[in-house]
Amino acid sequence: MLKTALRNLLAHKARQIVTVLAVCLGVAFVSGTLVFADSTAAAHRAAASKNFADIAVTVTDKEFPSGAPADQQSSVLDDALARKLADVPGVATVRPSVDGSSALNAADGTPLRVKPGANLAAAYVPGTDGKDSRYPLLEGRAPRNSDELAVDSGTAAAGHLHIGDTVTLATDGPVMAKRLVGIVTAKDTRVTAGGTLALFDKATAQKMFASPGHYTGIDLSAKPGTSPSELADRVTDMLPADRAEATTGAAQAAQQAGYVDTLTRGYEKLPLVFAGISLFIGSFLIINTFTMLVSRRTREIALLRAIGASRRQVSRSVLAEALLVGLVASAAGFLLGLGLAAVLPDILSTEGNTLPQGPLVIRPRSVVATLGVGVGVTVLAAWLPSRRAAKVAPVEAMRTAGQPSSATRSRLRGVAGLALLVLGTGLLISLTGAKDASEKNLQTAMFGCALVVVALIVLAPLLATPVIRLTGRLTGRFGITGRLARENALRDPRRTAATAATLLISTALVAGLAVIGNSTAQALDRQAATGLAADYVIGTRSTMTGIDPAAVRRVADTSGVRGASAVTDSTVVIGGRVQNISGVDPHTVNDVMKLDFVSGSVKDLGPGRIAVSSTIARDNGVTAGDELDIQMGQSRQFKKYTVMGVYEDNPIAQDALGARTEVARNSYTPGSVQRILVRTDRGAVSKTTEDRLRTAVGNSPLLKVQDREQFVHEAAGTMGGLLTLMYGMLAIGIVIAALGIMNTLAISVAERTREIGALRAIGMDRSGIRRMIRLEAVTVAAFGTLLGLAGGLFGAWAVGSLANGAMAQYSLALPWGTLLLVCLLFLAIGALAAAVPARRAAALSPLEAVAEA
């Protein structure tokens, strides 16, 4: 039977090529992602190891690590300790360091690569040779006084900075201006992965990030013959107890590599999603291909049964054929995945996130996983056709090459499909009243959507006849070729349904995501429109603690500004849950926020008095006039606050409102300001106004000035990833659907050779044959697209009801243009996929076709 499987594989290799391509596509994403992940992690480790190659041990302060405010730095790490460390046996060199963070502006004044944990600042500490080996100079010289700085080459290139330029920057306070005197090479992976580096002279860095004469770390190198761990033990023994600690360079390299790897780990998820989608969709193509091959070989299988082959042997023969196809496809997919892994760093790298380059790392797990997934999916998909082949009765198969599906099987299919459909729709409908976008409800909604799609796939053979007869009225307008195309599609509803399954899944996914994405984007726009009355929002970035309160007055006095209101954001614990509170000025907040109070008023805010959103009021069972036990900001005690008002949920106001003086007093940084909401004269929004506002806040790179449109666009940033996923799935669906239609029509043409010959013999020309095959493909594509649209729109409606719980402004908004484009695209793909089978059918000789047995 193994020889039979090999012979069948070689005899129908042209048919199996399509299956190989489908599996190969999914496997390539799997292998490419795994190899890419291993290679990127190895590159991170290599870069971090290089950065710490000459560091055996680093001494840091336990209580006040690098980056703590200068006035809170410990006095443990000083010159006296550095001299003591130099006397420890095994220490070769002692190199103090001062590290912190600093954000810079580009040459045009815009913030440059501001991102959490990646805007590094340090002291340039020269050795006896006058150079700091950690930062090799490329141009210029090292900074020598408080008015100078140096940057790394990546920062200089991204910001278009040159030697002699004046660079504006900020650490955690007012903006400073310094002259660029040097450009260095950076080894730190946080910088090479898209961050920035600013270097100051030692005295300046100590004032900024430590205190005069003190450091944030002391690096030690070891003498030959002394291991880092041994040196770390010796150093630990002489350090002040519970004040400082010694860490080996290897441990620091591993920690830094892990940090950068965490920042870039999300890039691996998208290719894996595409892999899962392509393999899932491709499995239907595999099922369809093997089903059609088994159907064509019915007589052959019957002959094998007649001469003694058992059902198990027949089933194993089909599975062995699938196994061989899976192995070939997996091997090809693995090789294709290596190419994908090689280009992914370039594709996924952006100006702000640069992935490290390095050799490809191929681990055994990548090879095993790739082969396991490819072979497993292929064999599993071929299991049902193998069972069908095993059930072929010798006498029946010798009598006819194909038997219609039994009524019992159709009834079972209908019952199973309806059961799945009722269960799926029931789950989705049960959630429509919940309006709670909790993780549990979202998982239930996803499960319900999956059940609906599976139900449509199961019911597709039963739905094919009525739907195709309905849509066939359009193809019927093409005359006899259109009617023949419709009847050909109806000849085997099960095959038509299997071919349309790939289109069904792709259309359902794309349509559902398109509707959710469009509805969410419009909801975010409405949120800003209903909650924000300000024309500009000046906010802080994650690298600083707040805005200078004096900047509020400067903004208010800016030409073209009608009013400015400061907001202090903090947290409160209400009912055992951490919520967000906005501290506002009760007298000016109505000018910049659109607050819809159900009861009470914002003017009543003051010490011991707050307002809460409708959701908070409902969850805690309070109304205006009631009291709540609240823990605000850094306060460790609960205090009773009177609820002076309840307002409709507002993302700008957050969960609760308090007087700014009250919130700022209890915030983690007392007196700080996190947002300034600005109203302009007549709502004017212009580049000139934006520049004036940036000047008012000192052009600090730690602040962002956004108009309403920019603010909404940032809030809708997650939609970009959703659209990428949607277009990726659309591309995968197009490729696999085209392969499926091409494969089905090719086999169908081979089965109908005599029929096509007869049509040619009675007068149908070659163009008519080609038109008939193309219309058949379009009919199948239309069937799959219609079912997919129905499933996708229903799922989007159900999931959207949950989103309405998280965003009150959410409502279903159909992207008619996108949906129409998807429909037309899939119909066009159906017609294009039929090109090769149609040309082959038209090329058949009438006499030879009629004479073929």
Side-chain angles (χ1 to χ4, degrees):
M1 296 303 292
L2 180 59
K3 291 182 179 179
T4 302
L6 287 171
R7 183 187 62 79
N8 288 330
L9 185 61
L10 294 174
H12 303 92
K13 53 183 178 293
R15 301 284 181 264
Q16 298 290 12
I17 287 177
V18 176
T19 303
V20 169
L21 289 175
V23 178
C24 180
L25 182 64
V27 168
F29 280 114
V30 175
S31 64
T33 303
L34 293 177
V35 173
F36 164 70
D38 292 335
S39 302
T40 303
H44 286 156
R45 289 192 296 270
S49 297
K50 184 178 180 180
N51 191 30
F52 291 93
D54 56 347
I55 297 177
V57 174
T58 296
V59 178
T60 55
D61 193 286
K62 284 185 177 181
E63 187 175 358
F64 300 101
S66 173
D71 58 352
Q72 298 179 16
Q73 284 287 351
S74 168
S75 60
V76 173
L77 306 181
D78 55 12
D79 290 316
L81 179 62
R83 288 191 293 269
K84 290 181 180 179
L85 292 173
D87 295 333
V88 174
V91 173
T93 60
V94 177
R95 188 172 57 201
S97 61
V98 185
D99 299 318
S101 63
S102 176
L104 299 86
N105 280 329
D108 61 359
T110 58
L112 179 63
R113 293 180 173 179
V114 180
K115 53 191 298 188
N119 300 118
L120 308 185
Y124 189 94
V125 183
T128 55
D129 59 353
K131 299 179 180 179
D132 190 333
S133 59
R134 293 170 297 183
Y135 309 111
L137 279 165
L138 292 177
E139 296 180 48
R141 59 174 175 82
R144 297 171 183 168
N145 55 60
S146 60
D147 294 327
E148 299 176 346
L149 88 157
V151 299
D152 69 286
S153 57
T155 300
H160 303 289
L161 303 174
H162 303 90
I163 299 295
D165 287 352
T166 297
V167 181
T168 55
L169 67 150
T171 55
D172 190 12
V175 176
M176 299 174 285
K178 297 183 183 295
R179 188 166 63 91
L180 181 64
V181 297
I183 297 176
V184 303
T185 298
K187 302 176 184 178
D188 197 305
T189 51
R190 291 169 294 180
V191 177
T192 57
T196 60
L197 172 66
L199 295 176
F200 309 94
D201 67 285
K202 184 174 71 172
T204 301
Q206 287 177 328
K207 290 179 182 179
M208 288 181 175
F209 310 119
S211 58
H214 296 88
Y215 307 98
T216 60
I218 301 176
D219 299 329
L220 310 176
S221 64
K223 291 181 179 179
T226 303
S227 68
S229 58
E230 181 182 358
L231 184 60
D233 292 337
R234 294 175 185 174
V235 170
T236 300
D237 292 338
M238 59 81 57
L239 289 176
D242 300 326
R243 293 297 304 275
E245 61 181 347
T247 308
T248 63
Q252 295 178 78
Q255 181 180 8
Q256 189 178 108
Y259 171 76
V260 178
D261 189 54
T262 300
L263 291 179
T264 57
R265 179 64 65 177
Y267 291 125
E268 301 166 16
K269 296 180 180 179
L270 198 60
L272 280 179
V273 170
F274 289 161
I277 293 168
S278 60
L279 287 171
F280 179 65
I281 298 175
S283 63
F284 290 92
L285 190 151
I286 299 169
I287 293 173
N288 199 25
T289 299
F290 276 94
T291 298
M292 289 186 293
L293 291 176
V294 167
S295 178
R296 290 205 67 195
R297 300 205 304 260
T298 303
R299 291 179 180 272
E300 176 186 323
I301 294 171
L303 181 60
L304 291 173
R305 292 294 313 282
I307 62 176
S310 65
R311 290 189 174 185
R312 181 174 296 180
Q313 286 178 312
V314 171
S315 178
R316 286 179 177 176
S317 175
V318 177
L319 291 178
E321 190 175 340
L323 176 63
L324 294 172
V325 170
L327 284 172
V328 173
S330 299
F334 182 79
L335 295 176
L336 182 61
L338 294 182
L340 181 64
V343 300
L344 272 178
D346 293 326
I347 294 174
L348 297 177
S349 292
T350 62
E351 183 180 348
N353 291 285
T354 304
L355 298 178
Q357 299 285 346
L360 293 181
V361 177
I362 304 174
R363 293 185 176 179
R365 69 151 189 165
S366 301
V367 180
V368 172
T370 299
L371 294 177
V373 169
V375 173
V377 169
T378 308
V379 172
L380 186 63
W383 180 70
L384 285 176
S386 71
R387 283 174 52 87
R388 190 169 299 155
K391 292 180 180 180
V392 172
V395 175
E396 293 179 358
M398 293 297 288
R399 183 168 55 243
T400 179
Q403 293 294 334
S405 180
S406 66
T408 301
R409 182 178 298 173
S410 296
R411 284 195 295 270
L412 289 176
R413 178 185 290 272
V415 171
L418 286 175
L420 290 172
L421 187 62
V422 170
L423 180 60
T425 54
L427 284 175
L428 294 177
I429 292 175
S430 68
L431 294 173
T432 55
K435 293 189 176 182
D436 178 11
S438 64
E439 184 178 353
K440 181 180 178 181
N441 282 344
L442 286 174
Q443 290 176 348
T444 302
M446 293 299 102
F447 182 64
C449 290
L451 286 179
V452 170
V453 172
V454 172
L456 290 176
I457 293 172
V458 174
L459 292 172
L462 304 179
L463 297 173
T465 299
V467 174
I468 290 178
R469 289 199 181 280
L470 179 64
T471 58
R473 294 181 180 179
L474 296 177
T475 58
R477 296 179 177 274
F478 290 88
I480 187 62
T481 56
R483 291 194 293 272
L484 286 173
R486 180 189 61 193
E487 295 304 318
N488 288 336
L490 291 172
R491 181 177 299 184
D492 190 343
R494 190 169 57 191
R495 177 188 297 181
T496 298
T499 304
T502 55
L503 289 168
L504 190 157
I505 299 168
S506 302
T507 307
L509 289 170
V510 173
L513 284 179
V515 172
I516 293 174
N518 185 64
S519 302
T520 303
Q522 292 193 20
L524 290 171
D525 195 11
R526 284 192 293 271
Q527 271 191 345
T530 57
L532 181 65
D535 301 302
Y536 283 94
V537 178
I538 302 175
T540 64
R541 301 181 189 270
S542 57
T543 52
M544 73 170 297
T545 55
I547 304 174
D548 180 7
V552 180
R553 173 51 54 192
R554 294 198 300 271
V555 169
D557 293 339
T558 299
S559 174
V561 172
R562 192 176 76 185
S565 182
V567 180
T568 296
D569 293 321
S570 187
T571 59
V572 289
V573 179
I574 303 177
R577 298 179 63 181
V578 178
Q579 308 288 354
N580 296 313
I581 186 170
S582 297
V584 299
D585 183 346
H587 303 291
T588 62
V589 65
N590 280 326
D591 293 333
V592 292
M593 288 187 189
K594 296 180 180 178
L595 298 171
D596 183 9
F597 271 81
V598 177
S599 59
S601 169
V602 71
K603 294 182 179 180
D604 297 324
L605 296 179
R609 302 192 296 272
I610 65 170
V612 297
S613 67
S614 297
T615 298
I616 298 297
R618 182 179 65 250
D619 292 345
N620 292 275
V622 296
T623 58
D626 293 341
E627 290 187 335
L628 274 175
D629 286 329
I630 292 176
Q631 179 186 352
M632 183 180 294
Q634 66 176 351
S635 174
R636 298 183 178 180
Q637 297 180 346
F638 280 86
K639 178 182 176 181
K640 287 190 178 296
Y641 281 80
T642 302
V643 177
M644 303 307 297
V646 177
Y647 56 89
E648 293 290 349
D649 289 3
N650 187 319
I652 310 301
Q654 302 190 108
D655 303 307
L657 285 172
R660 192 171 73 82
T661 52
E662 176 85 357
V663 176
R665 184 171 59 251
N666 292 283
S667 68
Y668 296 98
T669 307
S672 66
V673 173
Q674 277 68 48
R675 289 179 287 165
I676 304 176
L677 305 183
V678 182
R679 286 293 297 274
T680 61
D681 293 333
R682 301 177 182 178
V685 174
S686 65
K687 184 65 168 59
T688 302
T689 303
E690 181 179 335
D691 291 341
R692 288 173 180 170
L693 292 175
R694 290 188 184 278
T695 301
V697 294
N699 281 323
S700 174
L702 298 174
L703 300 180
K704 49 187 176 182
V705 179
Q706 300 171 300
D707 60 31
R708 182 195 299 266
E709 184 178 349
Q710 293 168 335
F711 181 79
V712 173
H713 180 73
E714 182 181 71
T718 54
M719 290 300 101
L722 189 64
L723 289 176
T724 300
L725 182 63
M726 183 187 78
Y727 292 130
M729 289 189 297
L730 180 61
I732 291 173
I734 286 173
V735 173
I736 298 181
L739 292 175
I741 293 174
M742 186 185 302
N743 196 37
T744 300
L745 291 177
I747 295 178
S748 178
V749 166
E751 290 177 346
R752 303 205 305 264
T753 300
R754 297 186 66 183
E755 175 187 323
I756 294 172
L759 290 174
R760 293 279 285 116
I762 62 176
M764 183 174 286
D765 57 13
R766 294 179 186 272
S767 62
I769 297 293
R770 287 195 295 267
R771 189 182 307 115
M772 178 184 70
I773 301 298
R774 289 196 185 101
L775 289 175
E776 181 180 350
V778 171
T779 300
V780 174
F783 171 62
T785 302
L786 286 175
L787 288 188
L789 278 176
L793 294 179
F794 179 72
W797 167 76
V799 174
S801 66
L802 298 180
N804 185 256
M807 289 185 288
Q809 290 82 5
Y810 184 95
S811 62
L812 197 67
L814 299 182
W816 293 107
T818 301
L819 296 178
L820 179 61
L821 180 62
V822 169
C823 293
L824 294 177
L825 185 59
F826 277 129
L827 293 179
I829 290 300
L832 291 174
V836 174
R839 188 167 60 249
R840 182 172 301 173
L844 289 174
S845 170
L847 294 178
E848 292 178 0
V850 172
E852 185 175 311

